[in-house]
Amino acid sequence: MPPVLSLRRATASDAPRLMRIAGAAYAPYLERMGGQRPAPMDADYDAVVSATQSWVVEADGDVVGFLVLAPERDTMVLDGVAVHPTHQGVGAGRALLALAEEQAREAGFERISLYTNAAMVENQRLYERIGYVETRRADDHGFARVFYEKSLTGPA
């Protein structure tokens, strides 16, 4: 039976869980990235939760994933999303991505943007399947990143 998923705003007490989830979710990419640690693995989640719009997804009451949104001048930036490997494939990530778009629309943005590491090809395929369009590739803060955006002006 699939877990019961629920979404809520992250609180300061969630910060240690977010760090553990990021560590577990991004660890499989370390070898592919030549040992370079993805930025979310070293983020200060106390600061992230206090400075951004952060959300968690719970599966049967346990925090198993998170979403970080940061409004910018003309776009909502999906600044981070991760699901613990034990709960990938049950809809938690999709629920977080749908929430990101909903929050962006509610805040009045016409588009949402994000980036992922070029080595994370699975993420790229997922984003493209759900309507994100690659806008550029660049070296950004020492990471090979692929930038995406999605228009939110059509039907939800």
Side-chain angles (χ1 to χ4, degrees):
M1 175 174 255
V4 175
L5 300 176
S6 59
L7 300 161
R8 65 171 174 79
R9 288 295 295 261
T11 65
S13 66
D14 292 316
R17 288 186 198 101
L18 275 56
M19 177 61 88
R20 285 193 296 276
I21 291 166
Y26 288 97
Y29 298 110
L30 289 173
E31 184 176 336
R32 220 186 286 177
M33 293 174 61
Q36 185 180 32
R37 290 173 62 84
M41 291 181 83
D42 297 319
D44 175 351
Y45 285 99
D46 287 316
V48 168
V49 169
S50 69
T52 66
Q53 200 183 119
S54 301
W55 297 80
V56 296
V57 60
E58 295 178 328
D60 297 327
D62 293 324
V63 175
V64 299
F66 67 87
L67 168 71
V68 178
L69 298 173
E72 288 191 355
R73 190 176 60 251
D74 61 348
T75 186
M76 177 69 81
V77 177
L78 195 165
D79 199 38
V81 62
V83 175
H84 195 280
T86 59
H87 285 81
Q88 291 174 358
V90 299
R94 292 283 182 132
L96 290 167
L97 292 171
L99 176 65
E101 293 179 25
E102 174 187 311
Q103 291 299 307
R105 279 188 181 95
E106 285 182 12
F109 290 101
E110 294 183 0
R111 66 187 175 105
I112 187 166
S113 58
L114 61 85
Y115 61 83
T116 190
N117 193 284
M120 298 178 185
V121 294
E122 302 88 347
N123 295 351
Q124 294 167 49
R125 286 193 294 263
L126 169 62
Y127 296 137
E128 290 167 7
R129 266 196 318 273
I130 63 173
Y132 284 82
V133 176
E134 182 179 330
T135 59
R136 67 185 171 101
R137 290 175 181 249
D139 181 69
D140 184 43
H141 296 82
F143 293 95
R145 291 186 171 153
V146 183
F147 295 81
Y148 287 91
E149 69 179 41
K150 182 176 183 178
S151 172
L152 300 174
T153 57

